[in-house]
Amino acid sequence: MTDVTCFSADCNKSKLFWGLLALGGLVMLSTLSAYFYIEHHGHIVTGMNNQIVWGLPHVFAVFLIVAASGVLNVASIGSVFGKKIYKTRSPLSGLLALTILAGGLAVLVLDLGRSDRIIVAMTHYNFKSIFALNMIFYTGFFAIVGLYLLTLMDRKLKPWSHPVGFLAFLWRLALTTATGSIFGFLVARAGYNSALYAPMFIIYSFAYGLACFLVVQTAMYKWNNIQIDEYVLGRIKNLLAVFVAASLYFTAVLHLTNMYFAKQWDFERFILVEGDTYPMIFWLGQVIVGGIIPLLMIFSPGAAKSPARILIAALLVIVGGHAQMYVTIVGVQAFPLAIFPGYAETSSFFDGVVHPYSPSTLEVMLALGGMATTFLLTTVAVRILKFLPIDKLDQKH
Amino acid sequence: MTASHKPERRDFLKTGAVVAGAAIAPGVLFYGIAQGRAPEEGASSLVRWGMLIDTGKCANGCTACVNACNTENGLSGKTGPQDSQWIRKLNIKHLQTGIEHNLPMLCQHCANPPCVDVCPTGASMKRADGIVLVDRHICIGCRYCMMACPYKARSFVHEPLADQNPDVPRGKGCVEACTFCVQRVDKDQQPACVEACNADGHQAMLFGDLRNPESAIAKAMLAYASVEVRGDLGLNTGVRYQGI
């Protein structure tokens, strides 16, 4: 037994690295335990049922999938639009796009009723299904962003980074359009069935992705004792503000449009005023915590000099993003389906009543697996490859 | 010498006849079975199975159709939020006039089914004769079809199952719904719910071929006004209701 004492910064970093790995591993272990338990007993051990068919795992999974495409935006601004302060961040942005998407898809797959049939999902495609198209978009995203990372990190392939980056940019727009359309194409439910979902999810992805990027970047800078440049932070925080404001705008337009249609009044009253906990999650979680407070923090005097304040604003955007997904996914299902509009409905199958949902601990454990997957993959990648964004003073303008 | 060989020849012929008979008999027997529609033959698009429900004859409190469905398809009959219900009795009350109707709600077997459109693997599918089914071999249990169905007609199997009806395979982790009792329809029988409703003397459910002008259902649909539920969605449902 040798007692290892650290004298160097590298040794401390190494300890921290293994510590982080152990932490992520523990969460992952709980996720896998939950998965096998559900796999064995069936979804009867979850809070999901025949009324709320998508629950907490989907909230976390869809958030990550949306954030994954958005986090690539940082690289796109660098490669496609030629902004230098974003160019240095492109590798980290590309890496996060891959690891966050992997996290989101992991949860989605682990929650399937027959996750053992994943090979079926990859070999049988119904091309009319937006879900099937999403699978193609996800696979393509991994391939294109992987290639893009290669062009960024390999000196010989560097000239290809612009066209491949452009392809990745177009692909990510298509991917988020398809993700939003998963909901937009559902004609039956009052809360969905809107073409607005596609652009709205793109805007959400910009905000959530940039917020995730800022959190990871801050952690990496802290780890490496690097002080972020005030000008750089100022630019990124302002961009986050634009995305958060645009998200609020799209949310407002969706609800205002609905309020114009008499047939949607009951639903709007439910989701915005009367419906169980959902109005609170919407107003407090999505609008105030995820929108207004971050905006106030970003525009408060001296914010560009305070990475901590921007970090909190980014974390709040992430919290608000989960609130938005909860309202969008669970809240809309909770509202009773109008099978006979104009009639009150009652049956043994819970027609005409608000469907209650309380996620079980197993679902929480399963849902956290996405974040754990992202965390583990990112931690290992930034340890073995050079992803740390280093700003040079002459790159500012 | 020749005479002594005769009995042997007779024996040989007898044995030969028995062997030949044994060889041909299964073929003859299977011929009878083959008169039914062969599995590889597939359903015909010349037929479209449909159902007409007369809400005026559907008795309040009667659950004969629901019970028959449960028995035929091996469902538990439990009505918790996680239990499967392929058919349910729905009571609807008009918000302004207060007029009430009772009716069975089941998969509407749409001609343009949203569940089939959204299914990523093609497990949700529509047969040529209009019956909408779930292929249990390729259903991955994503539940997107349940999100898409305007009639809340689908259920997800939340727990392991035992004592299943061999004609109606079901499985934990898959989505399921009314099949119009396809196992009976393919044998020229009526769905269990229709049979039970008739047996109880209500005659509220009429099942048949919508494409055959001579069928009782086609004639009834010509004689009485009927509606599609959520007709605004343009799904062209196979189940129609009269009296609403």
Side-chain angles (χ1 to χ4, degrees):
Chain A
M1 291 285 286
T2 335
D3 193 19
V4 181
T5 315
C6 275
F7 292 108
S8 66
D10 268 357
C11 175
N12 272 327
K13 270 189 199 171
S14 185
K15 267 186 159 179
L16 183 63
F17 169 72
W18 289 109
L20 290 175
L21 228 52
L23 182 73
L26 272 177
V27 179
M28 205 59 217
L29 204 64
S30 85
T31 299
L32 289 175
S33 323
Y35 162 68
F36 284 115
Y37 193 80
I38 296 170
E39 167 74 11
H40 183 72
H41 293 278
H43 277 63
I44 195 154
V45 293
T46 71
M48 290 177 273
N49 51 47
N50 285 324
Q51 287 69 44
I52 306 289
V53 300
W54 288 352
L56 202 67
H58 302 82
V59 170
F60 278 66
V62 180
F63 173 84
L64 288 175
I65 290 167
V66 169
S69 59
V71 82
L72 191 68
N73 212 40
V74 172
S76 300
I77 299 172
S79 288
V80 180
F81 303 106
K83 302 285 179 196
K84 283 183 180 169
I85 64 162
Y86 290 97
K87 236 175 204 170
T88 51
R89 286 167 174 78
S90 294
L92 181 60
S93 157
L95 170 75
L96 286 175
L98 295 180
T99 57
I100 295 177
L101 184 63
L105 291 181
V107 181
L108 219 51
V109 168
L110 292 181
D111 182 72
L112 291 176
R114 294 298 305 259
S115 51
D116 54 315
R117 288 184 180 162
I118 187 64
I119 200 78
V120 171
M122 291 159 87
T123 49
H124 290 70
Y125 286 104
N126 166 24
F127 289 104
K128 203 176 175 187
S129 164
I130 192 69
F131 225 27
L133 291 178
N134 266 283
M135 287 181 205
I136 294 166
F137 279 124
Y138 300 149
T139 319
F141 190 80
F142 277 118
I144 293 169
V145 177
L147 190 67
Y148 176 54
L149 269 182
L150 212 61
T151 64
L152 289 173
M153 302 183 92
D154 187 314
R155 220 175 278 271
K156 282 181 198 161
L157 295 172
K158 200 90 180 171
W160 288 95
S161 69
H162 181 72
V164 178
F166 190 67
L167 176 66
F169 174 63
L170 292 181
W171 196 268
R172 65 121 311 187
L173 287 180
L175 185 147
T176 327
T177 301
T179 311
S181 301
I182 287 177
F183 303 100
F185 286 179
L186 292 173
V187 292
R189 298 193 183 252
Y192 301 137
N193 186 23
S194 166
L196 211 54
Y197 269 92
M200 190 168 71
F201 265 53
I202 291 178
I203 293 298
Y204 286 163
S205 83
F206 286 171
Y208 305 160
L210 189 56
C212 289
F213 182 88
L214 273 165
V215 170
V216 175
Q217 182 184 256
T218 313
M220 286 174 76
Y221 280 172
K222 182 82 185 160
W223 194 357
N224 290 284
N225 283 324
I226 292 174
Q227 187 75 36
I228 188 167
D229 188 88
E230 189 184 316
Y231 169 79
V232 174
L233 188 62
R235 290 294 295 266
I236 298 178
K237 81 168 179 67
N238 286 346
L239 188 66
L240 182 64
V242 170
F243 293 158
V244 170
S247 298
L248 287 175
Y249 166 76
F250 266 84
T251 308
V253 171
L254 178 75
H255 290 292
L256 286 170
T257 315
N258 274 345
M259 279 189 257
Y260 203 80
F261 305 143
K263 65 173 184 175
Q264 296 283 48
W265 289 351
D266 287 342
F267 170 72
E268 285 303 318
R269 198 176 303 118
F270 172 80
I271 213 81
L272 300 180
V273 188
E274 293 168 354
D276 210 0
T277 52
Y278 302 106
M280 195 187 73
I281 299 171
F282 173 78
W283 289 109
L284 189 65
Q286 185 180 345
V287 177
I288 297 177
V289 171
I292 293 170
I293 296 178
L295 281 179
L296 291 174
M297 290 180 80
I298 289 168
F299 290 125
S300 61
K305 290 178 191 162
S306 170
R309 208 183 303 170
I310 302 306
L311 172 69
I312 293 169
L315 286 170
L316 291 180
V317 171
I318 293 172
V319 172
H322 283 86
Q324 174 268 312
M325 287 298 173
Y326 196 86
V327 173
T328 300
I329 296 173
V330 182
V332 173
Q333 291 177 85
F335 182 70
L337 204 57
I339 299 173
F340 288 89
Y343 284 87
E345 301 158 12
T346 48
S347 79
S348 60
F349 206 47
F350 309 95
D351 288 291
V353 293
V354 173
H355 309 306
Y357 170 66
S358 42
S360 67
T361 313
L362 288 165
E363 281 166 272
V364 178
M365 287 158 74
L366 195 65
L368 290 176
M371 284 187 186
T373 305
T374 302
F375 180 77
L376 284 172
L377 291 174
T378 311
T379 309
V380 171
V382 299
R383 175 78 177 161
I384 56 176
L385 287 170
K386 202 179 158 192
F387 284 105
L388 185 72
I390 303 287
D391 290 301
K392 291 172 190 159
L393 288 176
D394 60 345
Q395 280 187 342
K396 279 183 187 176
H397 304 289
Chain B
M1 187 88 175
T2 318
S4 65
H5 278 288
K6 269 181 184 169
E8 284 176 21
R9 190 160 58 204
R10 206 171 291 140
D11 285 347
F12 172 78
L13 287 172
K14 263 189 209 166
T15 314
V18 169
V19 170
I24 294 165
V28 174
L29 290 172
F30 285 133
Y31 178 77
I33 295 168
Q35 287 306 292
R37 192 173 57 74
E40 64 273 13
E41 193 184 318
S44 167
S45 59
L46 297 173
V47 175
R48 181 171 182 210
W49 296 116
M51 192 180 278
L52 180 65
I53 294 164
D54 186 345
T55 57
K57 293 178 182 169
C58 182
N60 191 7
C62 172
T63 54
C65 55
V66 178
N67 301 338
C69 174
N70 291 341
T71 308
E72 171 67 27
N73 296 299
L75 273 69
S76 70
K78 289 191 281 183
T79 55
Q82 292 175 318
D83 294 314
S84 290
Q85 295 188 46
W86 289 12
I87 182 171
R88 61 192 189 270
K89 281 299 292 290
L90 192 62
N91 175 274
I92 59 170
K93 185 176 181 181
H94 197 270
L95 292 171
Q96 269 137 38
T97 62
I99 191 165
E100 286 189 50
H101 303 276
N102 284 289
L103 50 97
M105 178 50 65
L106 61 158
C107 171
Q108 302 287 295
H109 296 277
C110 313
N112 309 307
C115 56
V116 173
D117 287 348
V118 302
C119 177
T121 63
S124 282
M125 47 102 172
K126 190 183 65 166
R127 292 202 334 178
D129 58 8
I131 298 181
V132 176
L133 298 172
V134 179
D135 182 342
R136 307 298 160 82
H137 296 287
I138 56 171
C139 173
I140 56 171
C142 72
R143 287 102 82 198
Y144 194 26
C145 57
M146 296 174 76
M147 294 287 279
C149 177
Y151 309 105
K152 218 149 88 65
R154 294 200 153 195
S155 297
F156 179 68
V157 182
H158 283 80
E159 57 186 326
L161 301 171
D163 299 328
Q164 296 185 45
N165 176 355
D167 282 341
V168 189
R170 304 170 58 213
K172 181 192 75 174
C174 286
V175 174
E176 55 183 20
C178 156
T179 63
F180 262 168
C181 286
V182 69
Q183 71 280 9
R184 295 168 62 94
V185 172
D186 281 349
K187 288 188 279 190
D188 279 339
Q189 295 171 350
Q190 296 273 302
C193 55
V194 177
E195 205 171 80
C197 187
N198 289 341
D200 263 26
H202 300 299
Q203 318 275 337
M205 302 168 95
L206 188 57
F207 179 82
D209 179 8
L210 297 170
R211 293 230 162 89
N212 177 5
E214 296 307 315
S215 69
I217 188 169
K219 286 179 180 167
M221 284 181 65
L222 275 178
Y224 310 105
S226 62
V227 293
E228 290 179 52
V229 179
R230 291 300 310 268
D232 59 313
L233 298 175
L235 305 178
N236 185 2
T237 57
V239 178
R240 308 287 171 111
Y241 293 83
Q242 72 179 85
I244 302 177

